């Protein structure tokens, strides 16, 4: 492992854990956060070094868990474009709008970042069998890295997960179990079976390294904006690793002396059919309640409960951010709008950020002159069933039958 990775810290109690062993949640049932000796790292890692670095997330190797001699199999994850979306800017009269296009990652979503670092990290600590509950993209990413490394992947998805996710997992050689229930039920299945089968559980925030991969989105935003963070980041929120990871990245960069204390206002977008964080935020609560009867076509947002809820809410309060929900109709309309104005076919989760942006502009919460980043977290090519609901071509071909 990275020699400057000093320990893993319980995000509730602060208790330290050994980073050179496979770990799960802390004894308090909370996520573990990797901690580095940033003072030591700042002595030899300077931002100028990045100029000659590889163009993927491993360009920030000094701030990631793997050591120089560890085996690392990358599929080119990270370092995605920050698109200045000219036509959309003109249409909305928001001259400083950007889309961070995560659909360009391997397997078409930002899940590749987290799974690359968790699977590679755990591989070097001896794990050879992996399991994950997933709404779709995480399963695909795990299956891809498991295929690249030649290890076992066992994935559990709701049975109504879009077909592309099921097919890609099978093609990558993963064992796929379709579950009658939501991601939380899938998580229970993994928990029940993992001990017997010797699986390493890479569920969202239940091991320490997925978040390390996800935090590279924060490094990239900082680097792409020349170390001056934007005013607002709008992020489609399910389990919350992206929000938590970016916030961690900003704090690490400040400790390295690469950025100042300015932080973006962080916006969590959820679907109206599954909005536990929005509910908790509106009630100014520290934790969220489990959402009953969760439904939305943005499958990555169909997460009724997260172990990182208290961390997300803390970030929203600290950053003077906000949580907002948008309906599935708004999500589909915004997905088409984003596509037709930019040439990027976003996942519905990405479309949701545009719908939220338009609401927040209208409410005056965002000023049109502000520098705003929308996160398109995945590719629309995997959600054809959902996107077809609005397609004139498919509607007319059905009508003519
Ligand atoms: C998983 C997922 C999300 C939610 O991400 P978190 O970081 O877990 O909140 C959003 N969009 C897409 C496309 C996803 O696959």
């Amino acid at each position: 492992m990275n020699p400057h990775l000093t320990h893993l810290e319980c995000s509730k109690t602060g208790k330290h854990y050994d980073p050179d062993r496979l770990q799960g949640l802390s004894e308090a049932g909370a996520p573990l956060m990797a901690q580095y000796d940033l003072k030591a790292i700042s002595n030899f890692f300077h931002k100028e070094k990045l100029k000659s670095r590889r163009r993927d997330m491993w360009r920030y190797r000094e701030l990631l868990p793997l050591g120089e001699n560890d085996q690392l199999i990358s599929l080119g994850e990270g370092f995605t474009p920050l698109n200045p979306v000219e036509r959309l800017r003109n249409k909305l009269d928001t001259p400083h709008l950007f889309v961070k296009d995560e659909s360009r990652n391997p397997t078409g979503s930002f899940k590749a970042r987290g799974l690359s670092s968790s699977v590679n990290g755990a591989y070097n600590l001896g794990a050879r069998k992996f399991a994950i509950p997933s709404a779709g993209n995480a399963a695909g990413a795990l299956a891809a890295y498991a295929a690249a490394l030649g290890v076992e992947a066992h994935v559990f998805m709701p049975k109504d997960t879009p077909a592309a996710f099921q097919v890609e997992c099978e093609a990558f050689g993963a064992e796929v179990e379709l579950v009658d229930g939501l991601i939380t039920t899938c998580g229970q299945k993994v928990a029940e079976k993992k001990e017997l089968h010797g699986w390493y559980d890479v569920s969202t925030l239940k091991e320490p390294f997925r978040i390390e991969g996800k935090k590279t989105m924060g490094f990239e935003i900082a680097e792409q904006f020349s170390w001056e963070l934007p005013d607002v980041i709008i992020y489609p929120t399910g389990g919350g690793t992206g929000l938590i990871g970016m916030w961690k990245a900003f704090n690490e960069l400040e400790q390295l002396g690469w950025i100042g204390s300015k932080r973006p206002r962080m916006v969590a977008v959820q679907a109206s059919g599954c909005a536990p964080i929005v509910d908790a935020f509106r009630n100014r609560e520290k934790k969220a309640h489990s959402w009953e009867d969760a439904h939305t076509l943005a499958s990555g947002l169909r997460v009724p409960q997260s172990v990182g809820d208290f961390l997300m809410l803390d970030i929203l309060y600290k950053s003077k951010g906000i949580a907002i929900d948008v309906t599935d109709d708004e999500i589909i309309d915004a997905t088409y709008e984003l596509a037709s104005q930019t040439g990027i076919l976003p996942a519905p989760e990405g479309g949701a950020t545009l719908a939220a942006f338009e609401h927040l502009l209208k409410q005056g919460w965002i000023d049109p002159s502000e520098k705003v980043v929308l996160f398109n977290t995945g590719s629309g090519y995997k959600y054809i069933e959902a996107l077809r609901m609005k397609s004139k071509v498919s509607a007319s071909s059905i009508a003519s039958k």
Side-chain angles (χ1 to χ4, degrees):
M1 293 283 115
N2 182 336
H4 297 286
L5 170 62
T6 54
H7 60 276
L8 306 170
E9 193 174 288
C10 172
S11 51
K12 254 199 191 123
T13 66
K15 185 173 172 184
H16 290 194
Y17 291 78
D18 183 357
D20 293 314
R21 286 184 44 193
L22 288 172
Q23 303 279 9
L25 287 170
S26 73
E27 289 147 285
L32 292 175
M33 298 290 164
Q35 302 295 334
Y36 302 81
D37 183 350
L38 292 166
K39 201 161 180 3
I41 294 171
S42 72
N43 288 328
F44 60 85
F45 190 30
H46 307 288
K47 48 189 168 189
E48 294 70 33
K49 278 198 175 173
L50 293 171
K51 293 205 176 89
S52 56
R53 289 285 171 95
R54 53 192 291 171
R55 299 179 70 76
D56 64 20
M57 74 175 204
W58 297 99
R59 63 199 276 103
Y60 310 107
R61 185 94 183 231
E62 285 85 344
L63 301 167
L64 290 168
L66 271 76
E68 259 171 57
N69 298 323
D70 286 326
Q71 153 127 311
L72 166 62
I73 296 203
S74 164
L75 296 170
E77 53 280 0
F79 215 57
T80 57
L82 188 62
N83 193 317
V85 293
E86 285 299 332
R87 288 190 56 232
L88 188 57
R89 284 179 174 186
N90 291 339
K91 183 173 178 208
L92 300 175
D93 205 13
T94 51
H96 307 291
L97 178 66
F98 296 84
V99 173
K100 179 79 170 151
D101 186 14
E102 292 292 304
S103 70
R104 300 271 289 263
N105 278 297
T107 68
S109 91
F110 70 155
K111 292 289 194 305
R113 297 178 187 263
L115 272 307
S116 172
S117 76
S118 69
V119 174
N120 276 297
Y123 182 91
N124 282 290
L125 296 174
R128 295 293 180 270
K129 298 177 182 177
F130 294 82
I132 200 165
S134 170
N137 276 314
L142 168 63
Y145 290 95
L149 277 157
V151 297
E152 283 179 27
H154 302 271
V155 307
F156 294 77
M157 291 186 269
K159 66 176 188 320
D160 56 355
T161 302
F165 298 111
Q166 303 173 23
V167 172
E168 75 175 333
C169 289
E170 283 185 347
F172 288 135
E175 185 198 45
V176 179
E177 188 169 323
L178 297 178
V179 175
D180 192 6
L182 297 179
I183 188 169
T184 29
T185 313
C186 299
Q188 286 155 12
K189 294 247 171 206
V190 171
E192 279 162 24
K193 294 188 173 190
K194 64 183 178 187
E195 209 141 319
L196 176 66
H197 298 286
W199 297 341
Y200 185 58
D201 180 355
V202 286
S203 299
T204 301
L205 294 169
K206 291 189 180 164
E207 55 70 53
F209 293 153
R210 265 178 75 177
I211 192 148
E212 293 303 289
K214 281 280 188 79
K215 82 180 179 188
T216 59
M217 297 190 297
F219 295 156
E220 288 174 24
I221 294 265
E223 186 179 357
Q224 288 170 320
F225 281 116
S226 306
W227 313 105
E228 170 86 36
L229 298 178
D231 299 306
V232 177
I233 291 180
I234 305 188
Y235 184 83
T237 303
T241 41
L243 278 182
I244 301 165
M246 282 191 275
W247 197 252
K248 183 172 191 284
F250 299 151
N251 289 334
E252 289 175 355
L253 292 178
E254 186 177 359
Q255 286 181 63
L256 286 177
W258 292 15
I259 63 169
S261 59
K262 178 189 162 178
R263 293 289 181 276
R265 307 199 304 283
M266 305 296 278
V267 178
V269 183
Q270 299 201 298
S272 303
C274 181
I277 298 300
V278 178
D279 231 26
F281 180 85
R282 288 195 179 132
N283 296 318
R284 290 271 143 183
E285 284 170 306
K286 289 199 168 117
K287 287 175 49 176
H289 303 282
S290 180
W291 190 272
E292 299 286 318
D293 205 18
H295 60 92
T296 168
L297 55 83
S299 49
L301 305 184
R302 207 167 49 156
V303 181
Q305 189 165 31
S306 163
V307 284
D309 58 349
F310 68 102
L311 298 169
M312 282 185 259
L313 287 161
D314 189 45
I315 291 164
L316 296 178
Y317 300 135
K318 274 197 185 124
S319 74
K320 304 196 166 51
I322 199 168
I324 177 172
D325 64 296
V326 290
T327 66
D328 276 12
D329 282 345
E330 290 173 321
I331 289 176
I332 287 289
D333 285 348
T335 300
Y336 273 72
E337 185 186 9
L338 189 54
S340 64
Q341 294 292 321
T342 66
I344 298 166
L345 185 65
E349 294 85 344
T353 65
L354 176 58
F357 177 56
E358 295 187 82
H359 277 297
L360 294 171
L361 272 176
K362 210 183 276 169
Q363 292 169 19
W365 193 87
I366 292 177
D367 188 88
S369 68
E370 289 190 292
K371 200 178 270 186
V372 178
V373 176
L374 307 182
F375 259 89
N376 173 36
T377 44
S379 167
Y381 293 97
K382 288 173 138 181
Y383 295 78
I384 295 304
E385 300 98 315
L387 298 184
R388 270 200 134 179
M389 285 170 34
K390 199 186 142 88
S391 158
K392 292 192 193 84
V393 183
S394 57
S396 65
S397 72
I398 291 165
S400 66
K401 266 179 200 154

